[in-house]
Every structure is written in C-alpha cells, then in structure tokens.
Amino acid sequence: VCIGVKASNYFMPKETLSEKGPGGGGWILMDMTLAVMDRDDNIWSTDEKGHARIYAIGDCNAGGIPGPSPDKDVGKWPIPPI
C-alpha cells in the first residue's frame, strides 16, 4: 500500500521542478520524450542543435507532463500508461 508520495529531486534546479502536485510539488517537469523542461515549457539543457541532453528517469508518468491531454489512443504515447 502506498500511503504517501514525496519528490526527492533536491539536486535539480528549481526552474525544472513543479510548484504544485502530490507531496507539495517538486516533481521534475518533462515532455512526452522524458526530456526535462523548465516552468516555461522549454526543453532544459539542449545541445548546439537544440536536442535535449537531460532526461528524467525512474517513476515517470504522463501525469507529470504539462499541456493538453495526450491522444486517446495510448498506443501513440511515447510513455506507456501505468
């Protein structure tokens, strides 16, 4: 039984963490490819070609992705549902 959740992302810059959410926020912001994003929905830490270089790993799910709801067909999601 999972009684509570808390983000342990103290090592990440504040601009890459949510301000709200379970446990008071502090969750890594990411896009559908798991690339880390900032609070302005920009990919954080890109190379000279604009490609993401830092990705979230671990307990990631589509609930942590800002923006409109994903396609109803879960087969089209880059991140599979839990």
Side-chain angles (χ1 to χ4, degrees), residues 3-74:
I3 296 174
V5 293
K6 181 174 182 347
S8 296
N9 301 316
Y10 56 87
F11 54 90
M12 292 295 291
K14 296 281 186 207
E15 69 266 17
T16 65
L17 303 176
S18 68
E19 295 178 298
K20 299 177 183 177
W27 299 93
I28 296 175
L29 300 170
M30 60 188 179
D31 68 8
M32 288 293 278
T33 67
L34 302 181
V36 174
M37 300 180 71
D38 64 21
R39 291 180 184 158
D40 295 322
D41 293 337
N42 299 308
I43 294 177
W44 182 75
S45 189
T46 57
D47 64 14
E48 65 280 351
K49 294 182 180 179
H51 299 265
R53 288 295 175 221
I54 308 294
Y55 293 86
I57 61 168
D59 188 15
C60 303
N61 64 69
I65 300 171
S69 296
D71 195 297
K72 298 265 187 228
D73 180 0
V74 296

